[in-house]
Amino acid sequence: MTMHPTFPALDAETAQMLRDSVARYGERAGGEAAGRARHVQAAGYDPAHLTVLRDQGWLMMALPEAAGGLGLGLGAAGIVAQGLARAHLAAPFTALHVASAALGRISGGADLLGEMGEGAALPALGWAGTGASFADPTATRVTCDTGGRLSGAVRGIHGAVGASEFLIPARAPGGLVLTRVSADAAVPAIARLAEGTPVGHLALDATPAEVIAEGAEARAALRVALDEGALLAAAELLAHVEAMIDLARAHLLTRQQFGRPIGAFQALQHRMADLFVQQSLARAVLAAAFARIDALEGDEIARGQLVARAKARANDAARLTAREVIQFFGAMGTTEEFGLSLHVKRVLVLAGWLGTSAEQRARFAALEDERARERAEERT
Amino acid sequence: MSEAIDWNALPEAEFRARIRDFIERQCPPELRHRARRFTPDITMPWFKALSQGGMIAPGWPTDYGGMGLGPARHLIYIEEMEAAGTPWLHDSGVRNLGPALIAHGTGAQKARYLPLIASGDTIWCQGYSEPASGSDLASLRCEGRFEEGRLIINGQKIWTTSAHVATHMFGLIRTAKGGRKQEGISFVLIDMSLPGITVRPIETLAGETDFCEVFFDEVSVDPADILGAPDQGWIVARSLLGFERIWAGSPKRAIRALGHLEQQIAAAGLEADGYWRDRLTQARFDTLDAQDLYTSFADLVRTDGKVGVEVSALKIWSTQTFQSIAEAIVEAGGAEAALLPDEGREGALEPWYESRAPTIFAGTNEIHRNILAYSVLGLPKS
């Protein structure tokens, strides 16, 4: 398969400018209040937030220019996801990226992508695989009949509330199809994740849909979209690791017990050092993954393995950091009112979304088998 | 001898190719990709070939017979040697003593010792640790007293790698007391054939005898063999740690053990077993992640010519990953893992034994956690 050098690498200066502008927005609009607002929002997303994401160009910057994006590569979206997450403003950035990444890879996606860019459409990818097939949209249980009607259930759709339409992978008589369903025809039941973000459950019963891609094109587009989404979720996780470690460090320096700062106790120092090791690993692994993923557009196995490993590391680093930092803060760490809770709960959500570590390891091993089969076929 | 190659000026690809080519031509295949360390009589022909090819001392300036490589090129050199599986050499003189001699030696010391080090005509061991001075190295007590124009040494060193085959030692000797413990230490070059030196090899868990106890009983040394100012040896010893600290955290041992684990799982017929698939994948993740972390520090060496104290994170992770993989190898082997292997074969316990020392040498992992806590995270001294 040929690889198209569609994505120019993001140079260091542009990356820093992007980091700075996301951080400025985070300081202005984000923080603990924004995190708490996740729980109280009745439905949908803050229109002002969506406007900023769009007007800054952040929503579409990673898409190829041919698909109406800025062609800055996934690394640019990673910087945005990380910066927004630090300020509790990440949702629905990653979910919207997943939808646009799928649309950008299919020939029938241009119209909807154009509407998205203008703010006229907010599509959500109706796919939430779990278990062994979490990254394999061909395992969808939604069926599409010959009249283009969908039946089946899809649970836990990120970005569903406030979505204008759903992109739903379904099994048609001829194989996999990617369909577009209007939110008027499919109204999601709202559920909430641990940190307050709403997700939607869809119950489809001969719901009218439009097929926008089929077969290999649909499958490839969905896999790219899910891989990119998982890597952005990993970038969000890294932001929470960094934020929690910063909180812990400040606490260890100021909290006094037995007449000295608790950070002077070696038991805590070594545990903090181990968190630093995990943060360093997650940073290095994500940097390497973002640097390589665009060039792997045509190599599903290598890309999938790269993402599986990065998401697993981010999951593990974040879950360990959450547990340890709660312990460092003692009773205060167990409270909802202390700001650490916002990071902890978001970590619990993100570490499950788009692949737990166990799911990622299973996927990596399955891809390893796929590679071995490919090689065996090449030899015969 | 290949004359006056400007190694730094060669295009990177050609630089790599030249090193690869040299290894292919000169390094005997039976010495490559082996876990065990060979004795110097076996590796010396390869040492001499490197020496005669002008490639034994990558980091030394060309004026002293080195390749004069900058840090980035030096790292490539090491990577190529590792990738080709070249054997561990008794080259502590080249790696550790040489740079200290060049930085702190007198003209006479450099003229005398550097050629002997580079040619392989001397083999050097590092006499630092003592029974009561490990992580707290500066508390060392092996004593030297000045008497009638000589330095008389009494005391003991321990965990001295290769002392039983070394011709010389560079050691830290307590030459003055009182004051800070880092003061009053001298960096001394000692001929191991001097009367009064006794070496006792210590057998390791793996059955190897690579490190030793060294006893000094009224050993008389010429004070001209003190490197740097007398009583100021701590400064000389510290100067040995440059960007090469990154190497203590190389994931190479974990990578090798990973290959062993794959074989062990296959040999036990566990490839399709869900638990072992998952555990093997975790081992792969841990190792590949270590590789990414190594690369991120190597990139710093390339751009900045040095690495910061954060590199302790790499040492901790790589060595701990090596241990967790070694643990998996033993477990996958079941009861048979404890069988002694046939002569010349690597048993399942070997990686387990070998993975003990890396969390202890080059600063124990606990010392590296202290470094991260104090110097990176800024936590107060405990």
Side-chain angles (χ1 to χ4, degrees):
Chain A
M1 201 174 265
T2 53
M3 281 185 233
H4 306 284
T6 326
F7 301 107
L10 196 61
D11 65 273
E13 201 183 325
T14 314
Q16 194 53 49
M17 279 169 55
L18 182 55
R19 226 170 260 127
D20 292 344
S21 68
V22 179
R24 274 197 304 277
Y25 174 57
E27 277 164 31
R28 182 160 57 77
E32 209 172 314
R36 305 234 172 259
R38 289 190 296 229
H39 283 278
V40 295
Q41 260 158 35
Y45 295 102
D46 178 3
H49 181 45
L50 286 170
T51 303
V52 171
L53 296 184
R54 199 171 40 244
D55 290 354
Q56 292 285 339
W58 295 339
L59 273 187
M60 313 290 264
M61 65 183 4
L63 283 188
E65 283 172 275
L70 298 179
L72 292 177
L74 194 66
I79 288 170
V80 175
Q82 191 179 356
L84 292 175
R86 176 99 197 194
H88 299 299
L89 290 170
F93 177 77
T94 299
L96 288 171
H97 178 85
V98 170
S100 64
L103 290 170
R105 276 18 176 244
I106 58 174
S107 50
D111 290 351
L112 188 48
L113 213 43
E115 289 172 38
M116 230 181 137
E118 291 158 12
L122 280 174
L125 180 65
W127 167 256
T130 54
S133 59
F134 80 95
D136 178 13
T138 61
T140 177
R141 290 212 192 88
V142 176
T143 57
C144 179
D145 66 22
T146 48
R149 288 179 297 264
L150 302 183
S151 295
V154 189
R155 290 177 59 80
I157 303 170
H158 283 241
V161 181
S164 60
E165 43 249 296
F166 297 97
L167 307 176
I168 299 185
R171 243 181 308 172
L176 180 73
V177 290
L178 180 59
T179 64
R180 170 182 175 173
V181 179
S182 161
D184 298 331
V187 180
I190 300 172
R192 282 192 190 270
L193 295 164
E195 31 62 300
T197 305
V199 292
H201 302 322
L202 278 183
L204 304 162
D205 183 14
T207 308
E210 176 196 349
V211 173
I212 56 173
E214 294 179 273
E217 188 190 35
R219 183 178 163 282
L222 285 163
R223 281 184 77 153
V224 169
L226 293 170
D227 279 345
E228 292 195 351
L231 204 50
L232 294 186
E236 288 191 46
L237 282 162
L238 176 58
H240 293 291
V241 168
E242 292 171 341
M244 289 189 290
I245 287 179
D246 288 353
L247 280 174
R249 194 179 154 272
H251 181 62
L252 262 56
L253 285 170
T254 50
R255 168 75 174 168
Q256 300 263 337
Q257 289 288 277
F258 305 104
R260 50 185 174 153
I262 60 172
F265 294 104
Q266 201 174 40
L268 299 188
Q269 290 176 344
H270 282 197
R271 288 164 70 171
M272 269 298 277
D274 282 332
L275 294 188
F276 179 80
V277 170
Q278 288 300 313
Q279 177 182 267
S280 306
L281 271 178
R283 278 180 181 162
V285 169
L286 286 187
F290 276 111
R292 289 167 58 200
I293 189 166
D294 297 330
L296 293 175
E297 175 96 25
D299 187 343
E300 274 195 9
I301 294 176
R303 192 191 61 226
Q305 289 195 323
L306 188 70
V307 168
R309 182 162 63 84
K311 181 63 164 51
R313 175 59 57 202
N315 286 345
D316 295 349
R319 294 181 62 113
L320 175 72
T321 305
R323 292 194 301 272
E324 289 288 78
V325 175
I326 288 174
Q327 180 72 16
F328 294 161
F329 275 98
M332 197 171 29
T334 67
T335 65
E336 173 64 29
E337 68 185 59
F338 178 48
L340 175 66
S341 69
L342 297 167
H343 295 292
V344 168
K345 290 188 169 179
R346 183 69 179 161
V347 163
L348 293 171
V349 166
L350 289 168
W353 187 36
L354 295 165
T356 64
S357 297
E359 287 167 350
Q360 296 292 3
R361 289 195 297 274
R363 179 173 187 221
F364 186 98
L367 289 168
E368 194 74 14
D369 295 345
E370 208 173 311
R371 177 75 84 204
R373 273 196 301 276
E374 253 182 23
R375 288 201 181 118
E377 277 165 27
E378 275 166 25
R379 277 196 297 272
T380 54
Chain B
M1 197 145 172
S2 41
E3 290 302 326
I5 299 171
D6 186 349
W7 294 100
N8 292 302
L10 290 177
E12 185 179 317
E14 193 187 336
F15 176 72
R16 282 187 190 274
R18 283 204 184 212
I19 292 172
R20 272 179 215 175
D21 181 57
F22 186 85
I23 297 168
E24 287 312 314
R25 281 187 289 113
Q26 302 284 350
C27 187
E30 63 272 19
L31 297 189
R32 291 166 53 181
H33 298 289
R34 299 292 294 269
R36 291 219 162 195
R37 292 178 171 190
F38 295 103
T39 49
D41 52 312
I42 293 172
T43 52
M44 205 36 90
W46 165 234
F47 189 118
K48 299 255 179 194
L50 281 168
S51 180
Q52 279 151 21
M55 291 173 64
I56 190 67
W60 294 10
T62 49
D63 290 353
Y64 298 106
M67 294 169 77
L69 300 185
R73 283 293 158 101
H74 194 163
L75 213 55
I76 293 173
Y77 172 96
I78 298 171
E79 283 167 4
E80 289 297 331
M81 289 289 171
E82 287 296 335
T86 59
W88 184 84
L89 294 173
H90 292 77
D91 62 350
S92 182
V94 176
R95 283 183 293 112
N96 298 317
L97 178 56
L101 263 169
I102 290 163
H104 300 278
T106 62
Q109 286 171 332
K110 287 189 246 193
R112 177 170 172 212
Y113 285 113
L114 288 173
L116 288 171
I117 293 170
S119 66
D121 292 327
T122 54
I123 293 174
W124 291 79
C125 62
Q126 173 178 292
Y128 284 9
S129 294
E130 295 180 11
S133 304
S135 290
D136 181 13
L137 183 62
S139 69
L140 60 89
R141 289 183 301 198
C142 185
E143 186 180 86
R145 66 174 198 275
F146 293 99
E147 196 174 281
E148 295 171 5
R150 303 290 293 179
L151 176 64
I152 312 295
I153 300 174
N154 281 286
Q156 184 190 350
K157 293 288 171 183
I158 195 168
W159 319 128
T160 314
T161 300
S162 302
H164 60 316
V165 292
T167 61
H168 290 73
M169 168 189 282
F170 55 96
L172 295 178
I173 304 297
R174 170 77 53 201
T175 44
K177 288 175 195 160
R180 288 173 64 234
K181 62 185 175 182
Q182 287 84 359
E183 287 158 14
I185 292 171
S186 294
F187 192 109
V188 188
L189 310 179
I190 304 165
D191 183 336
M192 292 293 281
S193 67
L194 288 174
I197 295 181
T198 311
V199 177
R200 186 183 80 85
I202 302 167
E203 189 178 334
T204 64
L205 289 172
E208 288 171 345
T209 48
D210 204 37
F211 52 39
C212 305
E213 282 181 289
V214 182
F215 300 93
F216 297 89
D217 178 15
E218 294 287 301
V219 175
S220 171
V221 176
D222 185 344
D225 282 329
I226 293 175
L227 183 56
D231 300 341
Q232 300 297 312
W234 190 251
I235 296 165
V236 179
R238 282 186 59 138
S239 69
L240 302 187
L241 294 171
F243 78 91
E244 285 165 282
R245 281 184 305 179
I246 190 177
W247 215 241
S250 161
K252 65 186 172 182
R253 296 184 189 89
I255 292 168
R256 220 181 153 277
L258 183 63
H260 192 138
L261 177 60
E262 286 165 0
Q263 287 167 16
Q264 187 78 9
I265 288 173
L270 294 168
E271 295 128 303
D273 179 90
Y275 172 81
W276 282 103
R277 268 170 76 88
D278 190 55
R279 189 137 175 209
L280 176 61
T281 306
Q282 182 68 63
R284 285 189 171 135
F285 281 12
D286 290 345
T287 309
L288 290 166
D289 289 1
Q291 189 96 49
D292 282 345
L293 188 56
Y294 168 79
T295 304
S296 75
F297 282 111
D299 288 345
L300 278 184
V301 171
R302 289 186 176 103
T303 53
D304 303 355
K306 57 181 194 281
V307 290
V309 283
E310 294 85 356
V311 78
S312 289
L314 176 67
K315 200 266 180 179
I316 292 169
W317 182 253
S318 290
T319 56
Q320 154 178 323
T321 297
F322 181 23
Q323 289 188 343
S324 67
I325 295 173
E327 204 67 30
I329 291 169
V330 175
E331 212 175 321
E336 300 244 325
L339 279 177
L340 289 176
D342 296 334
E343 188 60 35
R345 305 267 304 182
E346 193 176 347
L349 292 180
E350 228 164 286
W352 195 91
Y353 293 141
E354 276 165 22
S355 66
R356 311 295 15 128
T359 56
I360 298 166
F361 65 54
T364 66
N365 283 17
E366 288 69 31
I367 290 290
H368 283 285
R369 287 189 176 92
N370 289 346
I371 292 171
L372 292 179
Y374 306 146
S375 303
V376 179
L377 295 164
L379 297 177
K381 294 263 179 185
S382 53

